[in-house]
């Protein structure tokens, strides 16, 4: 196994990017600042997980699959409640009625490689 991963270049790049995205004067309150910190934490988690011995990685993967299964079951239970389902559908309709939000979501889905939504004008 290689030595510890050097993340200094990644951290420096994120530090240079943050002022370009910030709208709060680098107070850590805006979406730009929070997004940069989220990316930093995710990158550190990936490096930490990849640096673990293989048995620990397998255990972590099993744990993640279990957590995903539990979240899916919780989601299924919540959406089986008609009131919660109706509220979620109303929220989705309100979000998708905003042209800017819809455009941003469609761009995100394109970048993620998802097929365009039926009835979409793209």
């Amino acid at each position: 196994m290689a030595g510890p991963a050097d993340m200094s270049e990644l951290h420096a790049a994120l530090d240079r990017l943050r002022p370009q995205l910030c709208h709060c004067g680098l107070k850590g309150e805006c979406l730009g600042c929070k997004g940069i910190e989220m990316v930093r934490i995710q990158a550190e988690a990936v490096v930490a997980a990849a640096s673990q011995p293989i048995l620990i990685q397998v255990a972590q993967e099993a744990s993640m699959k279990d957590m995903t299964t539990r979240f899916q079951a919780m989601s299924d239970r919540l959406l089986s409640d008609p009131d919660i389902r109706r509220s979620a559908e109303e929220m989705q309709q309100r979000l998708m009625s905003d042209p800017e939000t819809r455009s941003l979501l469609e761009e995100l889905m394109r970048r993620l490689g998802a097929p365009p939504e039926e009835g979409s004008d793209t």
Side-chain angles (χ1 to χ4, degrees):
M1 180 191 269
D6 179 12
M7 297 184 64
S8 60
E9 289 185 42
L10 175 62
H11 287 296
L14 291 173
D15 291 341
R16 286 190 305 272
L17 182 59
R18 185 176 175 184
Q20 297 175 42
L21 301 176
C22 178
H23 297 285
C24 69
L26 300 176
K27 295 177 186 172
E29 299 169 353
C30 70
L31 184 59
C33 289
K34 289 178 181 179
I36 291 295
E37 286 311 305
M38 182 180 69
V39 169
R40 185 184 313 271
I41 290 167
Q42 288 176 336
E44 290 172 356
V46 167
V47 169
S51 300
Q52 298 295 320
I54 191 69
L55 290 177
I56 293 176
Q57 288 182 27
V58 170
Q60 288 172 339
E61 184 176 327
S63 176
M64 288 299 291
K65 285 181 182 177
D66 179 56
M67 184 173 64
T68 301
T69 301
R70 288 176 186 224
F71 277 125
Q72 183 63 47
M74 180 180 66
S75 174
D76 292 344
R77 281 193 308 273
L78 287 173
L79 290 178
S80 68
D81 181 317
D83 293 333
I84 293 175
R85 183 179 204 85
R86 187 173 42 258
S87 294
E89 289 169 353
E90 289 172 2
M91 184 177 75
Q92 180 183 9
Q93 286 175 349
R94 277 185 261 151
L95 279 173
M96 295 308 284
S97 68
D98 176 33
E100 185 176 352
T101 301
R102 184 177 186 89
S103 174
L104 289 170
L105 287 172
E106 288 172 350
E107 176 64 22
L108 175 63
M109 296 309 286
R110 272 194 297 278
R111 289 181 182 204
L112 293 174
E117 187 176 302
E118 280 188 35
S120 174
D121 54 352
T122 57

